Each structure stands twice: as C-alpha cells, then as structure tokens.
Amino acid sequence: MSALLILFQTRSNARRAAFAARFQSTSARPVTLKERLAELIPKEIENVKATRAAHGKKSFGPVVVDQLYGGMRGLPALIWDGSVLDAEEGIRFRGKTIPEIQELLPKAPGGSEPLPEGLFWLLVTGEIPTQEQVAELSRDWAARSAIPEFVEEILDRCPPTLHPMSQFSLAVTALNHNSAFAKAYQDGINKKEYWGPTFEDAMDLIAKLPNIAGRIYRNVFGKGKLPAIDASKDYSHNLATLLGFGENPAFVELLRLYITIHSDHEGGNVSAHTGKLVGSALSDPFLSYAAALNGLAGPLHGLANQEVLIWLRKMQSKIGEDATDEAVKEYIWSTLKAGQVVPGYGHAVLRKTDPRYTAQREFALKHLPDDKMFKLVGQIYNLVPDILLEAGKAKNPWPNVDAHSGVLLTHYGLDQMQYYTVLFGVSRAFGVAAQLIWDRALGAPLERPKSYSTAAIQKMFKDKS
C-alpha cells in the first residue's frame, strides 16, 4: 500500500472518529429540566383527562358548615401532585419522605445534605435527577441571577426600618417588569403554550431570589457590599455567600437542608394557595409569588419560627441557660395559664412530630450537640407534649418545623430574627413555582369558590333536623 493511500485512510478514520465523538457528546448531553418537562406534559394531560373521566362525577366527602366558618380547614378543594401532607407521616415530596429525599437527591461534593436544585427537579418532574442535571440547573440559575438596576435601586432606597418581608415583596413584584409570560400573553400566545413562558419566569424568579435576599440582608443589617454570584457553586452556597456565611461549610449545609424541607408543604397552606389562586387569574409568577410572600409574612405562617425564638430567649432570661426540668415545666405552664400557646407546637394537619423538625434535630446532633439553645429545645421536646395533653390544649402536642429552625440559624450567627421569614420565602418559591408551571401546562381554570352568607346558611337548614 502506498504511503499516500495510508495517509488518506488515516485522515479519513480520524475524521470519522471526530464526527462520532461529536455525535456521542451531543447525544450524551443531559436532558434539561425544560426538555424533560415538555416530554411529560402531554402524558400528564392525558392522565388528568382519564382521572376526570373515571372519577369526575364522584362525591369526594361531605362539607359541613363548620368548615365554612373554620377557614375551610380540611376541605378537599385543590389538586397538587408535588407534595401531599399525611397526618401521621408528614410531608411527602412526589411520594417520597424527607429521609428518602435526604438519601436519594444529589449532594454537593463533600456534602451530605440534599441540594435544593434536585428537590425542584423532583417537584417538577416526579423524578430524581442525576448529578449532571443538578449541576446544569445550578449553572442555569447562576446565569439568570442578576436583578435589574431599578430593582436594586428600589431596595437601596428602602429605609432599614421597613420589614425585610415588605422589601422582599416589593422587589419580587417589580420583577414583573420583565415577565416572559406577561409579554407572551400580550402578544397573543396560544393557551396550550402558556407553560413555556411561565417556566422561564419561574426559573428567573428562583434564580434572582438570592440576590434580592442578600441585598435586603446587607442593607438592613449593615453588612457591606454584595459579592457576585459564583457560577461554579450551587444555589445554597451562593445564598450563604451573599449573606456573609459562605466560608462556613456547616452553614452552607444547613441552608441546603433548610431550603429543601421548607420548599413545599401541600397546596393548601397560605403561601402555596395564595400563589396558586393569584396565578389562576393568569397573573405572572412574579405577581403570584409576591402575593404568596405577603401571606407568608403573617405571624400564623412564616413568622412562627421568630415567635419560637423570642419565647425561648424569654425563658432563658428568666430561668437561666441550664435550668432543671422542673423549672422548664413551670415556665411552660405559666405560658399556658397566661392564655398563650407554646410556639412551635401543634399543626393544622400533622398528628405526630413533624419530620422537618426531626431532620433539623439530627443536623443539630451532628453539628452543634453542645449548643445551649439546642439543649433547651431538646429539653422542651421531652416535656411539652405531655403537658399539652394534660392541659387539653392541642390535638397534636408535637413540635413542627418552626420549633427548631431559628435555633440553628442563631447558632451560626444569623441571629436577626425578623429576617428569618425571608429565608422561608426563598425556600417556598420552589413549591409555588413548580405548581404554577403545572397549572399553566394543564390549563387550570380561574379559581372561584362559592361563598354563603350566615342568613343563607340559616335559611338552608331552616325546619330541617
């Protein structure tokens, strides 16, 4: 064989190998979240149609008048596949318990807590993502993270006395200025395509929250200039850095756990339901989530962990840091006899210890077992349930998630309690955003429940036994 022919065959083989390598690289590229969602939507539309065809006319439990007067408590009225709250087991994300997602979801290199990116993927698709898919999601959010200059100016002009949640709501509302959904709707997009720009807005919303939250924290508490987002780091690491705690690996791990377990809690809690309700009017995800934040800011919802920490500090100031069980019991009874509740205990649905509380307790046992406040929380955990049962004060005498989170944040130096709900707000965006995407994909209608007057109720049951 001539040298020229050998050279030709060698170059030809090299070209074929290069082409094959390029093709293999393209085919091996991990499927993005939006691509996977586009594959799932037609199947889920058919699943919903089949479910309605088979069960749509069936009764789904009675409605009693007390439910109308009692805040619709327990009234079956919503569909959300992302998470379901079981009274005995606690929250399940797409059917998986908190211990299961702690085991199954991807972790950061060297970390042991689940990455919130993986939880968002799970909420949207019902599937556990790969490490590569989660890494790509981290990069995507970092690329979307910048907030408009006028939003920065809004936050910088807020007086530090304006509550951080009010500033948070203002900034999220202002992001509506660049809403992909609002623009697409104005341009006449087909309703079957609503989910696409909703997805883009939802991704932008989540991505921009760390910069908003970090700017609020540094403005209000005088922590200096905001550092830049690092595209090589995960979402929680960047948020921790913006807050000034990125050099503490344990705090970064805490944020990963915190965001994950606070991300969603069924569709009927105030923030989740508010986001869904406002979104049903085809308000874009920024407007919808700003409304959800205003609900989250209430003392019966997102402010509860702050109330717990205030109560614990008052207790310590009165009975000391290493009080006996008898002294703690006496303080608990004094709280109840004063007509107050023990904050962080009881839940509208749960009838056992909140698994989110347990996850945080296990974190504390691993990272801060000797912390004085944590020891008090554990002491209270051993005492309060029996006291509440004896007093007849609660159907569920067990602790919920709020009984623990403030103590963990305080341990690492984030002790500005009025800021805690902002972190809750960053977390809850994951569940609300996922729900808004699916509502638009499935063509969920405008919500319009029927209301009755007291006179109408009386008339309805007049002369009936």
Side-chain angles (χ1 to χ4, degrees):
M1 183 180 294
S2 70
L4 183 62
L5 181 58
I6 293 174
L7 178 61
F8 174 82
Q9 287 183 335
T10 301
R11 288 179 175 177
S12 179
N13 290 339
R15 284 195 296 269
R16 284 198 296 269
F19 177 83
R22 285 197 301 270
F23 180 78
Q24 184 178 17
S25 174
T26 301
S27 63
R29 177 182 62 82
V31 175
T32 67
L33 178 57
K34 191 173 186 180
E35 290 169 342
R36 183 59 184 140
L37 181 58
E39 294 171 351
L40 292 172
I41 286 173
K43 300 175 184 178
E44 187 58 25
I45 289 174
E46 292 305 313
N47 183 39
V48 171
K49 287 181 179 177
T51 302
R52 293 189 68 174
H55 307 293
K57 304 301 180 185
K58 295 178 183 178
S59 175
F60 196 63
V63 177
V64 298
V65 173
D66 273 347
Q67 288 178 297
L68 275 67
Y69 284 101
M72 300 187 290
R73 184 65 54 85
L75 185 69
L78 301 168
I79 292 290
W80 169 226
D81 293 324
S83 65
V84 174
L85 181 58
D86 182 89
E88 301 297 321
E89 291 185 332
I91 194 67
R92 280 180 174 265
F93 300 109
R94 290 285 187 168
K96 293 176 173 54
T97 64
I98 285 178
E100 287 172 338
I101 65 170
Q102 286 181 288
E103 177 185 355
L104 295 172
L105 289 180
K107 320 291 190 299
S112 59
E113 297 298 342
L115 289 168
E117 290 91 328
L119 193 280
F120 185 68
W121 188 291
L122 176 65
L123 287 175
V124 172
T125 68
E127 302 166 348
I128 299 294
T130 65
Q131 196 76 41
E132 293 78 12
Q133 287 169 329
V134 162
E136 177 57 33
L137 196 51
S138 295
R139 289 190 290 270
D140 191 357
W141 283 346
R144 297 170 180 258
S145 63
I147 58 177
E149 287 187 13
F150 80 92
V151 176
E152 294 179 346
E153 291 173 7
I154 288 173
L155 291 173
D156 291 346
R157 290 178 66 86
C158 287
T161 52
L162 182 64
H163 197 283
M165 281 299 282
S166 299
Q167 298 188 37
F168 200 17
S169 177
L170 279 172
V172 171
T173 299
L175 291 178
N176 154 266
H177 180 269
N178 297 328
S179 167
F181 179 82
K183 183 180 186 304
Y185 186 84
Q186 187 176 19
D187 291 343
I189 186 174
N190 188 300
K191 63 182 180 181
K192 292 182 180 179
E193 304 300 325
Y194 283 173
W195 74 269
T198 300
F199 177 89
E200 296 301 328
D201 279 354
M203 291 284 282
D204 283 344
L205 169 67
I206 293 173
K208 296 178 189 305
L209 293 184
N211 263 329
I212 293 173
R215 200 172 196 91
I216 293 170
Y217 183 75
R218 289 174 178 265
N219 283 351
V220 173
F221 302 109
K223 298 298 182 178
K225 187 178 179 182
L226 199 69
I229 292 285
D230 185 344
S232 69
K233 301 296 184 182
D234 63 90
Y235 189 85
S236 304
H237 195 289
N238 272 313
L239 177 57
T241 300
L242 293 171
L243 297 175
F245 300 91
E247 299 301 316
N248 188 328
F251 183 86
V252 175
E253 279 284 272
L254 172 60
L255 268 193
R256 290 169 182 149
L257 175 64
Y258 182 98
I259 294 173
T260 297
I261 65 177
H262 285 81
S263 63
D264 204 33
H265 211 234
E266 213 174 58
N269 68 73
V270 170
S271 54
H273 185 202
T274 301
K276 179 180 176 66
L277 172 63
V278 176
S280 79
L282 297 187
S283 298
D284 63 68
F286 304 112
L287 297 180
S288 300
Y289 196 59
L293 285 172
N294 291 334
L296 189 65
L300 295 184
H301 194 11
L303 286 185
N305 59 0
Q306 181 176 326
E307 299 299 317
V308 170
L309 200 54
I310 291 172
W311 183 72
L312 291 174
R313 287 179 170 175
K314 285 181 179 178
M315 182 188 299
Q316 280 189 329
S317 67
K318 185 169 184 179
I319 65 177
E321 287 189 338
D322 298 299
T324 64
D325 283 357
E326 288 305 315
V328 174
K329 282 182 181 179
E330 184 177 340
Y331 190 87
I332 295 167
W333 275 112
S334 69
T335 298
L336 296 174
K337 289 176 182 178
Q340 302 169 358
V341 300
V342 176
Y345 280 75
H347 192 274
V349 178
L350 282 169
R351 293 298 173 261
K352 287 189 176 178
T353 298
D354 190 336
R356 299 172 300 172
Y357 174 94
T358 303
Q360 291 180 105
R361 177 171 174 78
E362 290 172 351
F363 181 95
L365 287 169
K366 179 180 178 180
H367 294 280
L368 49 134
D370 298 323
D371 182 272
K372 295 285 189 181
M373 190 74 82
F374 167 59
K375 287 185 174 182
L376 177 59
V377 167
Q379 194 174 11
I380 291 169
Y381 179 48
N382 292 329
L383 299 173
V384 164
D386 287 340
I387 293 174
L388 291 179
L389 288 172
E390 182 182 343
K393 292 290 186 181
K395 293 180 181 179
N396 169 29
W398 304 103
N400 58 54
V401 67
D402 299 309
H404 217 307
S405 56
V407 171
L408 294 176
L409 295 170
T410 298
H411 173 82
Y412 291 106
L414 206 166
D415 56 1
Q416 297 89 355
M417 289 184 293
Q418 63 175 172
Y419 184 80
Y420 290 170
T421 316
V422 174
L423 289 182
F424 198 159
V426 173
S427 310
R428 186 50 56 86
F430 285 56
V432 174
Q435 186 169 209
L436 288 170
I437 292 167
W438 272 110
D439 279 357
R440 299 292 76 78
L442 299 176
L446 177 71
E447 286 190 16
R448 179 58 171 87
K450 173 66 177 171
S451 64
Y452 293 87
S453 67
T454 298
I457 293 291
Q458 294 169 345
K459 181 179 180 181
M460 190 183 304
F461 293 97
K462 185 179 181 181
D463 300 327
K464 292 182 181 180
S465 57

